[in-house]
Amino acid sequence: MKRIICYAMVLSLIALSAAPALAKPAPGDFADLLEHWAQRNVSAVCNLGLMSGMGENEQGSQVFSPDGLVNRAQLALVLQRTFELDYGEKSFIKQPQAGDYYLDVDNGAWYAEAVKFCAINQVFDSAEKFYPEQAVTRIEVARAIHRSIKAKGLNIPMIMLMPYYQDMEGLSQEDSNALVFASNTSLMKGDGQNWRPQEQITRAELATVLNSLLRLLAVDESYDGQEYRLAPGHSFTLMLDSNPTTGYSWTASYDEKVLALDARHYQQAGEGNIMGQGGKDTWRFKALQAGTTEIKMVYSRSWESVEPIKTFTLKIVIAPGQAETGKVKVSSRMLKEKSDTMDVDLEIPVISGLEAVLQSAINQRFEGDAMELKQSLETGLKAYLAECKAEGYPIRSYQLFTRYQQCRLNDKVLSLYVDYYQYTGGAHGITERRAYNIDLKSGELLPLAAMFKSGYDYKAVIEQEIKRQIALNSDVYFKGDQGFKGLNQEQGYYLEDENLVIYFGQYEIAPGVSGIPEFKIPLKLLSI
């Protein structure tokens, strides 16, 4: 019996390895991608429907033209597909067309619909002409992606570490922010000391950027047991760890009346050259109509009658989007100062729509914290300059940057955080994250304990969940007394979607390369 099972396993693995050679070419199979460095990234984004080929060669084989340049029309189409850009909350008396925005865009062109939605969402600059055939640069791609993320209201947390590239000088504030975002999220890294903002981007490079972007936007293991909301006609990407060479595979069940599987793709991790190495299974689901369903994923071997080694569930709620009715808004005030010895770039949150005295008190807190840190660095700078002058040391310019991220806003609570980055010498700077969870009735900051009913042992529940998440990836955290010992008296947290997010400072429970450790605690686990 054991021998029969062994043979079955071997045959199954042989079938898995032989399938690609016998199967009909997939959308990501192109004649000009054989052994190309971007082959795996191109296959992923094409199989998921975000990019497509460039026709056929003389032999009738599909080609992708990986080294061809990306033009503005192609970029518009790719962004519209990736972010599903639409009318959003905007309404029009007369349905607009692409020609209403740009004189050189034919309303019947293959890219016209995408250009129209990019224009509505302000992805590209307003101008008389669009220049659809014009090749785009790296900074134009970063800017367009950054604008698309803002247009969709997506929250992609990142550490505010200001990268240094020699060719950043002269960029606008918006382009600098887009570059920082692209670099810090690893969408578009620099090359040594240069980021090459004005270099034109190839189709292979864009496919690589898109594949990384998918990982940022995707639903993953951290969503297990949670709820995900989207509107009818919209899609989302699910990514789960997988390794087909072991014989294990994911099977999914869900209500096909409200949810459809548009595409599926598997990509091996790393360079994909290691025998037996695992990777990511990716599914692209589309919401068909309003309703609710649960995706149930089971990771098992088809020939084994045992409990699966992994499961994943996700509640899907499909409902039309609704405009925010609250009048309270958060915007920002920028403060920039630059001298030979200090570079200051502050983004200070500004709240509006509240009673005047309360609103002023909240804004003074934001302003005061930023100014206090600025003054502290200026005081330290004076002492540093005096020491350098006395000892003949070379002077390194100080840096202070702040960026905020709004996480939740309703008529009761505003939850946001500000990353305060400062560089005062050494190999690199340090980022301090400060969360502001504000009671909009009193203006007071809410400590973590204020989120729970009196007598509820919230610490035990949260600490247990944090320990569980640490155990899933224990190598990136300190061990023993240097590691996680429990929540502290002034524990940093913020509210985001259906989660309570607990965070720790750099070097607090993990090495500096781990950044700011965060743990998403589903609200359904807590009495909030």
Side-chain angles (χ1 to χ4, degrees), residues 218-515:
V219 171
D220 58 19
E221 281 88 354
S222 66
Y223 285 76
D224 186 21
Q226 298 189 42
E227 182 179 289
Y228 187 87
R229 292 176 173 268
L230 71 164
H234 284 225
S235 304
F236 70 94
T237 301
L238 171 63
M239 281 189 180
L240 299 176
D241 291 334
S242 180
N243 191 343
T245 65
T246 63
Y248 285 97
S249 62
W250 288 102
T251 55
S253 61
Y254 51 89
D255 187 347
E256 296 182 1
K257 294 179 181 178
V258 297
L259 201 63
L261 177 61
D262 266 2
R264 181 176 179 178
H265 180 77
Y266 172 77
Q267 183 171 348
Q268 196 174 22
E271 297 301 320
N273 297 321
I274 301 176
M275 181 67 70
Q277 181 173 329
K280 295 281 186 182
D281 253 322
T282 304
W283 300 261
R284 186 85 169 172
F285 289 101
K286 184 174 184 177
L288 300 178
Q289 61 182 13
T292 301
T293 185
E294 184 176 60
I295 298 178
K296 296 182 178 180
M297 309 290 295
V298 174
Y299 192 61
S300 62
R301 287 175 172 150
S302 60
W303 64 83
E304 292 182 340
S305 299
V306 296
E307 288 293 317
I309 62 171
K310 288 191 292 185
T311 61
F312 175 90
T313 60
L314 182 68
K315 182 181 179 181
I316 304 296
V317 178
I318 305 169
Q322 295 180 348
E324 293 184 22
T325 57
K327 63 178 180 179
V328 180
K329 304 292 182 185
V330 180
S331 56
S332 62
R333 184 175 77 83
M334 303 300 297
L335 173 62
K336 296 186 65 176
E337 297 176 0
K338 190 169 185 176
S339 66
D340 293 337
T341 56
M342 188 166 179
D343 187 2
V344 177
D345 185 348
L346 306 181
E347 183 184 39
I348 303 171
V350 178
I351 192 169
S352 59
L354 294 173
E355 184 271 326
V357 175
L358 177 61
Q359 178 174 295
S360 176
I362 294 174
N363 287 331
Q364 284 178 14
R365 177 182 287 118
F366 294 141
E367 180 102 4
D369 285 355
M371 292 301 102
E372 181 180 354
L373 184 56
K374 177 175 178 289
Q375 291 168 8
S376 175
L377 255 66
E378 288 172 341
T379 300
L381 177 62
K382 289 180 181 179
Y384 169 69
L385 293 176
E387 181 183 1
C388 289
K389 183 177 180 180
E391 302 294 337
Y393 297 150
I395 296 174
R396 293 187 177 184
S397 176
Y398 276 23
Q399 294 178 329
L400 175 61
F401 299 91
T402 71
R403 292 293 182 268
Y404 84 91
Q405 178 66 50
Q406 180 178 320
C407 304
R408 174 176 285 194
L409 174 61
N410 54 40
D411 59 349
K412 295 181 180 179
V413 175
L414 166 64
S415 183
L416 61 80
Y417 65 77
V418 181
D419 280 343
Y420 296 85
Y421 169 79
Q422 54 181 303
Y423 174 78
T424 58
H428 41 69
I430 189 168
T431 297
E432 177 194 0
R433 175 163 295 175
R434 298 184 192 177
Y436 297 82
N437 301 286
I438 302 174
D439 183 338
L440 294 182
K441 300 299 182 184
S442 66
E444 297 297 319
L445 291 177
L446 297 169
L448 181 58
M451 293 288 102
F452 304 93
K453 296 177 180 179
S454 177
Y456 175 64
D457 191 3
Y458 67 92
K459 284 188 177 182
V461 178
I462 294 175
E463 289 173 357
Q464 181 180 355
E465 177 61 17
I466 289 176
K467 289 176 182 178
R468 185 191 71 80
Q469 293 184 28
I470 287 176
L472 296 176
N473 198 15
S474 60
D475 291 343
V476 303
Y477 298 97
F478 292 141
K479 304 294 191 298
D481 291 340
Q482 291 183 313
F484 174 68
K485 298 185 290 293
L487 303 179
N488 57 56
Q489 291 296 320
E490 298 180 354
Q491 183 62 56
Y493 79 95
Y494 59 88
L495 299 170
E496 176 189 71
D497 298 327
E498 299 302 315
N499 297 299
L500 168 71
V501 183
I502 301 292
Y503 68 88
F504 296 86
Q506 286 183 286
Y507 305 99
E508 188 174 354
I509 63 170
V513 294
S514 299

